[in-house]
Amino acid sequence: MACKTLPAAMSLIQRADARIKLLSTAGFSIVVACTKNLEAAVLALGISLCMVILAGPPARQLLSRTATVNLFILAIWCITPFTTPGHAMINIWVFNPSREGIMQALFITLRCNAILFVNLALLSTSNPFSLAYALLALRVHPKLVHLFFFSWRYLHVLNKEYERAQALLKTRGFDPKTDLHTYKTYAYLVGILLIKGYDRANRVYDAMLCRGFDGTFRSSRRLHLEGRDMILGTIMFILIAVLAGMEWIMDPC
Amino acid sequence: MHISEGILSPEILLAGAAGTAIGVTMGLRSLKNGDIPKVALLTSAFFVASLIHVPIGPSSSHLVLNGLMGIILGWEAFPAIFVGLALQAILFQFGGLTTLGINTFNMAAPAIVAHYLARPFLKQGGLGPVGLLACAVAGGGSIMLSALLVSLSLALSGEGLEAVGRLIFIVHIPVAIIEALIATFTISFLLRIRPDMIIPGWTD
């Protein structure tokens, strides 16, 4: 399964403080998602592209993830230009895409990819531990953070169970088809996964109680901002402010 | 069944985030500290189970299982689905921070409906015919309700996106039939093998 974060190479962005990365991703995503200004959207895509190059994820992963997200965008390009009312740009037989529809599809493409690249550069280069501590430091409800942390921690364990069950089905000659037997088998597989998760959770919790767990997580690691984190944070803050400013100055509403 | 970043209008994103904030708060309030590992591991189990691709005729679809999550977890399905979608955003880049709210709401609100629909019929001694029907309606209905919410979110975000939304709704009809079967079989399986998991206070 491809559900691993990007490998921890030593680029500047990857080593940065998770709180700065989270806040930057959130600020950037919100401003870009709201933008109705073409120059701002193009600039945002440019910035995010630079960041993803600086963060340096492996090219194959980058390409496959970009391709998956853009499949849906492709569907939008096939439909939206023809269903949005407005002035026809060109007339080719019965196809007369409207200017408004093309602009909407273009905006969606720019915004979607800009946010995708920032997620790849900042969010996917953090590990679960540092993200969980960052979330706690940012005052997210501890119960939600613990839920997030445990789910991530045991995802691979349950995926192993799933792979084992799949191998078992294969050795017994299971051949998935569109029939009741197939769906029943998959339903039992879902049930088995749930049982494995449930039992594992009880064992994990008992083990935690034995070690004196009282509902809070303690860490010997202190989060502290270094000079380069402050630089990254400042740069991101300025860029987000510029994007928001472009929106406000060019299209005052 | 999630909408990518940069497509929906800010108003819809904000409305979704507000709905999800309420739902997650309700879920966290009913979640006891000692139950966190349990709900978390069920969340990872559902996450892995949603990677299963089932054949539908010549095509295939992955499972969504939000109805089943609702039946088993109740209001805790809200934070569970929220965490599942957050993990998908981080690990696969499906969706992201700004769409987390609306995507969670579109999947979790139908899960809560499924919970209230099927829960009264899960009693000791297995599912009766009415119980089977309730599970099927909860499993399939939650998919159709989610598809409807996704279509509405798209339609309200731009006139040109209405057709995309309608297409998404139609595509999910066969998925809903499969999910109805899967939810029913899974619940009756768990009731037979491990009733303690879904009926609180179960005694042998």
Side-chain angles (χ1 to χ4, degrees):
Chain A
M1 182 165 69
C3 72
K4 286 197 181 90
T5 45
L6 303 167
M10 276 301 146
S11 72
L12 190 67
I13 286 183
Q14 295 194 3
R15 273 178 301 156
D17 185 89
R19 285 171 295 178
I20 299 281
K21 291 208 258 187
L22 254 175
L23 285 178
S24 309
T25 314
F28 189 88
S29 305
I30 291 169
V31 170
V32 173
C34 293
T35 192
K36 290 186 178 67
N37 179 279
L38 191 61
E39 286 86 353
V42 173
L43 181 65
L45 185 64
I47 294 170
S48 62
L49 209 55
C50 292
M51 282 172 64
V52 92
I53 290 167
L54 279 176
R60 247 190 70 201
Q61 241 159 340
L62 180 64
L63 283 176
S64 77
R65 288 172 188 203
T66 314
T68 322
V69 169
N70 279 289
L71 265 180
F72 186 62
I73 301 288
L74 194 67
I76 287 187
W77 272 101
C78 293
I79 299 173
T80 313
F82 306 101
T83 54
T84 307
H87 307 289
M89 286 253 292
I90 31 173
N91 280 306
I92 315 161
W93 190 35
V94 288
F95 300 108
N96 37 6
S98 71
R99 212 188 108 75
E100 286 77 1
I102 291 177
M103 285 311 282
Q104 188 170 24
L106 181 63
F107 263 116
I108 287 174
T109 313
L110 290 171
R111 290 192 297 231
C112 187
N113 282 294
I115 298 177
L116 166 74
F117 288 144
V118 162
N119 275 357
L120 269 170
L122 293 181
L123 223 47
S124 301
T125 50
S126 307
N127 64 49
F129 297 96
S130 57
L131 265 186
Y133 285 122
L135 288 170
L136 283 175
L138 295 172
R139 308 253 168 239
V140 175
H141 199 300
K143 276 188 199 171
L144 193 60
V145 179
H146 295 165
L147 204 57
F148 170 77
F149 177 74
F150 274 114
S151 301
W152 196 343
R153 167 66 184 77
Y154 286 98
L155 210 54
H156 301 284
V157 174
L158 285 160
N159 192 52
K160 274 263 148 45
E161 296 285 357
Y162 171 52
E163 280 167 2
R164 189 156 33 179
Q166 258 185 330
L168 259 166
L169 285 172
K170 215 171 187 177
T171 52
R172 281 161 174 70
F174 173 63
D175 176 27
K177 283 195 266 315
T178 306
D179 60 8
L180 215 53
H181 173 69
T182 301
Y183 299 140
K184 207 177 212 171
T185 309
Y186 279 130
Y188 292 173
L189 175 54
V190 173
I192 292 286
L193 281 173
L194 292 177
I195 292 172
K196 298 262 188 200
Y198 187 87
D199 288 346
R200 179 103 192 191
N202 285 334
R203 290 201 300 277
V204 167
Y205 187 59
D206 287 346
M208 283 162 64
L209 285 181
C210 287
R211 288 159 180 77
F213 180 69
D214 62 354
T216 50
F217 280 85
R218 291 178 179 80
S219 168
S220 57
R221 202 165 27 157
R222 292 254 179 281
L223 289 172
H224 65 103
L225 294 175
E226 288 177 33
R228 56 161 192 263
D229 296 322
M230 299 303 281
I231 294 171
L232 180 69
T234 314
I235 292 173
M236 283 308 293
F237 181 77
I238 292 170
L239 289 175
I240 293 166
V242 167
L243 288 175
M246 279 171 81
E247 179 74 15
W248 189 64
I249 292 165
M250 296 192 184
D251 296 304
C253 31
Chain B
M1 206 191 305
H2 29 45
I3 307 170
S4 305
E5 294 279 306
I7 294 171
L8 299 176
S9 69
E11 295 80 16
I12 298 291
L13 293 175
L14 204 64
T20 293
I22 295 170
V24 169
T25 310
M26 295 278 288
L28 289 180
R29 199 169 285 172
S30 78
L31 175 63
K32 288 192 281 292
N33 266 333
D35 283 340
I36 290 176
K38 210 174 70 195
V39 175
L41 266 91
L42 288 175
T43 304
S44 8
F46 275 115
F47 187 101
V48 171
S50 72
L51 300 173
I52 299 177
H53 272 261
V54 291
I56 310 178
S59 171
S60 79
S61 165
H62 73 90
L63 295 175
V64 182
L65 301 173
N66 59 338
L68 198 59
M69 283 182 96
I71 298 173
I72 295 177
L73 293 171
W75 275 96
E76 283 142 32
F78 241 110
I81 289 174
F82 180 82
V83 165
L85 289 176
L87 287 175
Q88 280 197 332
I90 295 169
L91 300 169
F92 302 141
Q93 279 74 44
F94 292 161
L97 287 180
T98 64
T99 49
L100 201 51
I102 184 76
N103 282 336
T104 304
F105 185 81
N106 287 347
M107 280 179 66
I112 306 297
V113 176
H115 174 74
Y116 285 110
L117 214 90
R119 200 75 218 191
F121 301 100
L122 306 184
K123 294 197 189 83
Q124 297 202 5
L127 286 167
V130 190
L132 285 173
L133 189 69
C135 281
V137 172
S142 54
I143 296 291
M144 283 334 291
L145 207 53
S146 284
L148 185 70
L149 286 172
V150 169
S151 312
L152 276 178
S153 321
L154 285 167
L156 291 173
S157 288
E159 272 179 280
L161 292 171
E162 212 181 308
V164 182
R166 213 169 290 153
L167 191 69
I168 287 179
F169 186 78
I170 295 167
V171 166
H172 279 92
I173 294 172
V175 179
I177 298 170
I178 309 252
E179 292 265 346
L181 291 171
I182 299 270
T184 317
F185 284 136
T186 308
I187 290 290
S188 56
F189 174 76
L190 288 176
L191 275 178
R192 260 181 293 140
I193 310 279
R194 290 292 300 276
D196 57 303
M197 268 179 66
I198 32 186
I199 301 173
W202 166 271
T203 44
D204 278 316

